[in-house]
Amino acid sequence: MVRQRKKGWKTIYSHPSISHEERLANSKFKLEIEDLPPFEITWTIDAILGNHYSTSFGLKRFLKDHVEGFENEVKETLLAINKEGVFKESLNISIKLGIKNEGLSRTLQ
């Protein structure tokens, strides 16, 4: 079963059909991609919950009066995976830049 993901209060999120990279490549801008060195983030259970609540999909108001039960279930589940409640995430990030071409600046003025 595919669940619909809420975006904000009354809308449903749908993933873009065209990637940001493709959109920039097909624009009047020059595409530059910068790859950052890999790095690691250490997550605690509280940080995971805080990150979840900071997204439009995970707002506490969607849980209504089930916040405590949800948090307890998340904590129990994550502690069963790692008894210290600490999780490491390796990240590779690239930045896509749309650089204005010289000719484009004259066209826009």
Side-chain angles (χ1 to χ4, degrees):
M1 177 177 101
V2 176
R3 297 185 70 194
Q4 290 186 326
R5 183 173 153 193
K6 289 186 179 183
K7 178 181 82 174
W9 185 245
K10 295 183 180 182
T11 59
I12 302 296
Y13 172 82
S14 60
H15 194 73
S17 58
I18 299 173
S19 71
H20 299 301
E21 183 175 346
E22 187 178 349
R23 191 169 299 276
L24 279 170
N26 292 325
S27 75
K28 294 180 180 181
F29 294 91
K30 177 184 167 197
L31 172 64
E32 285 192 15
I33 300 174
E34 297 293 330
D35 292 314
L36 300 180
F39 65 98
E40 188 174 88
I41 294 179
T42 301
W43 293 93
T44 63
I45 294 173
D46 286 338
I48 292 168
L49 285 167
N51 182 267
H52 177 72
Y53 290 142
S54 74
T55 67
S56 59
F57 182 67
L59 295 175
K60 277 187 178 182
R61 71 172 176 244
F62 295 145
L63 294 170
K64 299 183 180 172
D65 58 347
H66 302 284
V67 172
E68 187 176 340
F70 170 76
E71 289 182 358
N72 287 338
E73 186 173 338
V74 167
K75 288 175 185 178
E76 287 173 19
T77 302
L78 292 176
L79 287 171
I81 296 168
N82 180 318
K83 65 183 179 182
E84 276 118 39
V86 177
F87 301 87
K88 304 230 181 250
E89 179 182 14
S90 296
L91 292 170
N92 294 310
I93 294 181
S94 66
I95 300 171
K96 281 96 175 148
L97 301 167
I99 306 296
K100 185 166 46 168
N101 291 313
E102 288 300 317
L104 182 60
S105 63
R106 283 186 229 104
T107 313
L108 295 175
Q109 291 178 354

